[in-house]
Amino acid sequence: SAPKGMVFVRRHTWGDFIAFMGWVGPFELPSFYIDRFEVTNREYQRFVDKGGYDQPRYWQEKFNQNGRELTWDEATSLFRDRTGRPGPSTWQGGHYPDGKGDYPVSGVSWYEAAAYAEFAGKSLPAFAQWYSAAPTDGGRYIARASNISRNALAAVGTFKGLGPAGTYDMAGSVREWTRNALDDDRRFILGGSWRSQSYLYADPEALTPFDRSAENGIRC
């Protein structure tokens, strides 16, 4: 009965010792669904083609940068591809690279990730939800079977590092934005990328929500 492309995580109590943060939780998490795979280029293309970058209703968060709130025009002018069209920083001409439709979308800011989730009728996972679907005590096994500390990005599901809820690619592939803020200027992005050291599967990172590195992706 799960929505297409998603898996079910049962209601439970979550808490864990997270590197650099100490003990987090415990939290009583309601049941939720989470994407089995990261959002692909082909899925994100629908958001672009349907004018997602031009519709403020998908962009629910204020654009705060260095203590200043940016206007809609100021902020969205930053979210352009290599040719100046709306889209991820890794795209050209408003389109993903040829033959990469099943690869995870990459080169997106936190704002773009949150807007896509709104477009899809979903949300970004909370920090605790993400970690409950990708528990740290399974990292040594999951990372070995995943696209982390390797040479190149691959199509979603290519590697068989399977989480206990049925998710793939939570270790490596692309880093995944979460809802939570570390402070006024940074948002958590978890799981590491294909070129990260394996320990970053379990260790949190935090970046400015405007960061559009080629390693940044989305799971809803």
Side-chain angles (χ1 to χ4, degrees):
S1 63
K4 183 179 179 181
M6 305 190 85
V7 297
F8 179 71
V9 181
R10 189 176 303 279
R11 175 179 182 151
H12 65 287
T13 301
W14 177 84
D16 202 353
F17 188 89
I18 305 296
F20 312 117
M21 297 184 66
W23 185 260
V24 182
F27 300 119
E28 295 295 327
L29 295 182
S31 301
F32 64 94
Y33 296 105
I34 190 167
D35 287 345
R36 183 181 300 276
F37 301 110
E38 292 159 334
V39 175
T40 65
N41 280 316
R42 184 175 288 109
E43 290 169 325
Y44 198 85
Q45 184 76 63
R46 289 197 288 271
F47 173 63
V48 175
D49 290 349
K50 289 183 178 294
Y53 280 80
D54 299 320
Q55 301 185 49
R57 63 194 175 104
Y58 297 133
W59 304 75
Q60 298 289 312
E61 302 292 331
K62 293 181 179 179
F63 301 105
N64 293 317
Q65 186 178 53
N66 300 323
R68 174 176 168 264
E69 184 177 342
L70 275 60
T71 67
W72 166 261
D73 289 336
E74 287 175 326
T76 54
S77 69
L78 302 175
F79 307 140
R80 295 291 184 264
D81 67 18
R82 294 171 180 171
T83 55
R85 296 281 296 277
S89 66
T90 54
W91 289 19
Q92 296 188 59
H95 202 277
Y96 59 81
D98 289 345
K100 304 293 186 181
D102 292 326
Y103 280 55
V105 65
S106 61
V108 292
S109 67
W110 181 86
Y111 289 107
E112 289 165 286
Y116 172 82
E118 187 73 20
F119 165 80
K122 303 178 182 181
S123 67
L124 298 181
F127 184 94
Q129 289 175 317
W130 194 96
Y131 269 112
S132 69
T136 57
D137 57 4
R140 71 180 66 182
Y141 309 107
I142 294 170
R144 290 176 190 167
S146 299
N147 189 16
I148 190 167
S149 195
R150 297 180 186 264
N151 297 322
L153 197 54
V156 300
T158 298
F159 289 79
K160 302 306 178 185
L162 179 67
T167 56
Y168 289 86
D169 301 318
M170 294 191 82
S173 189
V174 288
R175 301 179 293 200
E176 300 171 11
W177 288 109
T178 67
R179 287 288 309 173
N180 299 72
L182 175 63
D183 52 35
D184 291 341
D185 296 314
R186 290 177 291 175
R187 297 276 178 168
F188 282 109
I189 189 165
L190 305 177
S193 74
W194 76 95
R195 54 189 177 192
S196 297
Q197 294 298 311
S198 294
Y199 68 81
L200 283 173
Y201 164 71
D203 289 5
E205 296 179 84
L207 303 172
T208 167
F210 287 93
D211 189 288
R212 308 181 78 226
S213 302
E215 297 149 276
N216 300 350
I218 312 168
R219 186 188 303 266
C220 299

